[in-house]
Amino acid sequence: MVDRRVTSPAQQCAIEQAETWGAHNYQPLPVVIAGGEGAWLTDLDGNRYLDLLSAYSAVNFGHCHPALTRAAVEQLHRVTITSRAVYSAGYGPFVQALAELCGKEMALPMNTGVEAVETAIKLSRKWGYETKGVAEDRANIVVMDGNFHGRTTTVISFSNDETARRGYGPFTPGFRSVPFGDLAAVAEAIDPDTVAVLVEPIQGEAGVVVPPAEFLPGVRELCSEHGVLLIADEIQSGLGRTGTTFACEHSGVVPDLYLLGKALGGGILPVSAVVGDRAVLGLLQPGQHGSTFGANPLACAVGLAAVELLRTGELQRRSAELGAVLHERLTGLVGNGVTAVRGKGLWAGVDIDPALATARTICYRLLDRRVIAKDTHERTIRLAPPLVITREELEGALDALEASLA
Ligand SMILES: *Cc1c(COP(=O)(O)O)cnc(C)c1O
């Protein structure tokens, strides 16, 4: 439902067409985007907005980053889709660079994030049966309350979000959910048939929820002790978002499997991957898993360019430095329309005082001030600007937030 009119007839018309002919599985902000560059988006009427959402971190490198666009355009003129029935020239360089970025031995590229999650579930079950010696069909995976790992039938089977689940059963068994951040609950949930613990190092959709400092190291220890794979879903938290390449680095934790997506596609196309060591990824034999579009030449070219942008560490440094500015200013708003702020680097969950307004109302006010941000749940605004945002742009966006709270 369109719950607020825009003034421009052109945009109103485009929104009506979208709502008439497109399924209503989202509730978009009432703005129609026609262009983007760096941290900026442009609507149909030529108005410019600062993007504080970055397509949920798919656009960490900014819109139409020149190096990424160049890699894509050059590849478009060579070859774009081959399937894995043959080798493509860009595949080897991409998987090597990606595995090296993660400090791992192998990578398995897919397309969307949820496919990486599904791949990791299959891999850890297979590892459980073939390596750990779990009896057939007995494997279980420990997951966290409040998780978001995507939208397939299996993945919503272990979500606690009733809106995401209702009407979609029967669900896939083999998962047990424990409170996020509760180490004792993880310890209790692990039994001899547990093959993996699947965790977002920082829960994005839940409202940028950071677990207690001892949680991830504790989970790592439990996993090592009990022969359980630690799977870090870094699809949203990874690739520079939190000021380090991976959010796990903040707690000195190295997972067995990294799940990557979103920014891995450079903001250009869906590219995801599972990255880990030979002991797990090496179990896959021909025909046991795959995807027609996974690791296509265009994806490999863009994915490699994205990995190369992260190699120098400059974007991670920017994220850490500007993140400090972001969090300092947001913390200053606590008590002035904001009840709590969470996050790391250029990533923040901002809880709006319900006595003031809903998060969505604040997002509308931000839109009026030419800033795009998105609410999650009733009272939280998630801020995740492109990592290429300048300090001036960031300060401008924060001025707009401050004014929207007044
Ligand atoms: C977005 C997201 C996914 C799913 O990615 P899609 O590309 O939408 O399938 C999985 N895990 C996390 C943490 C995410 O943020």
Side-chain angles (χ1 to χ4, degrees), residues 112-114 117 148-150 200 205 233 235-236 262:
T112 63
V114 76
V117 178
F148 181 84
H149 298 288
E200 296 158 85
E205 299 295 315
D233 181 345
I235 290 168
Q236 194 168 155
K262 295 208 163 99

Side-chain angles (χ1 to χ4, degrees), residues 125-274:
R125 285 178 169 181
K126 190 172 170 60
W127 171 85
Y129 300 130
E130 293 179 11
T131 304
K132 183 168 174 168
V134 174
E136 197 179 323
D137 289 347
R138 301 289 303 169
N140 70 71
I141 295 175
V142 177
V143 301
M144 303 298 141
D145 293 352
N147 69 71
F148 181 84
H149 298 288
R151 301 292 200 169
T152 59
T153 320
T154 287
V155 169
I156 61 158
S157 294
F158 56 88
S159 161
N160 332 101
D161 178 351
E162 269 314 300
T163 310
R165 280 168 58 92
R166 198 178 307 119
Y168 296 145
F171 298 112
T172 307
F175 301 95
R176 35 183 79 161
S177 192
V178 301
F180 184 55
D182 185 342
L183 196 55
V186 176
E188 202 170 313
I190 291 176
D191 70 13
D193 293 334
T194 303
V195 296
V197 174
L198 169 61
V199 61
E200 296 158 85
I202 294 176
Q203 286 189 333
E205 299 295 315
V208 195
V209 180
V210 184
E214 67 281 3
F215 180 63
L216 289 173
V219 173
R220 174 66 277 178
E221 225 177 282
L222 281 171
C223 286
S224 301
E225 191 181 319
H226 294 279
V228 169
L229 299 176
L230 175 56
I231 307 172
D233 181 345
E234 294 252 18
I235 290 168
Q236 194 168 155
S237 61
L239 307 184
R241 174 51 59 196
T242 67
T244 46
T245 306
F246 304 108
C248 279
E249 288 173 55
H250 293 288
S251 33
V253 163
V254 178
D256 299 292
L257 298 176
Y258 284 105
L259 309 186
L260 301 174
K262 295 208 163 99
L264 189 58
I268 295 179
L269 77 172
V271 184
S272 67
V274 177

Side-chain angles (χ1 to χ4, degrees), residues 362-373:
I362 301 299
C363 288
Y364 286 152
R365 291 186 196 161
L366 282 169
L367 190 63
D368 289 337
R369 294 176 188 277
R370 304 280 160 80
V371 171
I372 290 184

Side-chain angles (χ1 to χ4, degrees), residues 2-20 30-32 44-45:
V2 187
D3 52 359
R4 184 172 183 275
R5 290 184 68 83
V6 287
T7 43
S8 139
Q11 291 191 62
Q12 193 58 45
C13 189
I15 289 172
E16 267 161 30
Q17 182 181 37
E19 292 297 325
T20 303
V31 61
V32 182
L44 268 183
D45 302 305

